[in-house]
Amino acid sequence: MVAYVKENFFLVLTTVLLLFLVSSSNGNFSMMITENEIDTICAKKFLNSSLCYELLKSTPKIATLDFYGLTKFLINYDYRNVSDAMNQIKLSAGNATDLQTIDLCVRLYENTLHDTGLIFEALAAENYVRVVDYIFRLIGDVSACQEELLIMKPRLEDSITRNNVVMNISSIIAYILECYLVKDKTKC
């Protein structure tokens, strides 16, 4: 066997290299996210770089993930923030004078949370374009709530801050999906 490998070294090397290339091009080969990739992501002008670095560099689990795993992690993290925002705004209903804004935000948060199962189904099916659509819908819903919160008297500063976090995390997710998971990288 050793003699066969010695005689056909280049054939064996070529076969191994081809297997490596085929497995990586089919998406079966996953690489953990590097520090340079985190730096590239967080340096984008339209992303909140301080939040991005804080989240991606301070969470030890991130270093063990590939882009699919990172996307899943961030979606879970974002949806927990949406749930917390909804609970926070529900609690403030007793002190608020603008119950229409409270009701609107709660309905928008509920719509977003309703999409959680659908977003994970699309992610599992590697339908990243659909996941991007859900993320942009989430951003739109939270943004609509945010516009109302900003003019509401008295302002619910904690809810405004939490909405900003949700929208910023969603923007990071959308960038990762579009630039690392979707085949068409024209937006990157």
Side-chain angles (χ1 to χ4, degrees), residues 85-148:
M86 183 175 71
N87 291 334
Q88 183 178 29
I89 206 155
K90 281 180 177 179
L91 289 173
S92 63
N95 300 332
T97 55
D98 187 352
L99 295 180
Q100 288 178 324
T101 295
I102 301 291
D103 183 54
L104 171 70
C105 287
V106 168
R107 282 186 287 123
L108 291 169
Y109 294 141
E110 286 172 344
N111 289 342
T112 297
L113 292 172
H114 177 266
D115 288 345
T116 307
L118 300 172
I119 199 170
F120 283 113
E121 285 176 21
L123 188 63
E126 297 180 6
N127 188 346
Y128 302 126
V129 173
R130 184 125 176 111
V131 177
V132 170
D133 289 343
Y134 283 121
I135 294 298
F136 282 128
R137 185 164 46 188
L138 181 154
I139 291 171
D141 285 350
V142 174
S143 179
C145 171
Q146 187 79 333
E147 288 174 17
E148 293 299 317

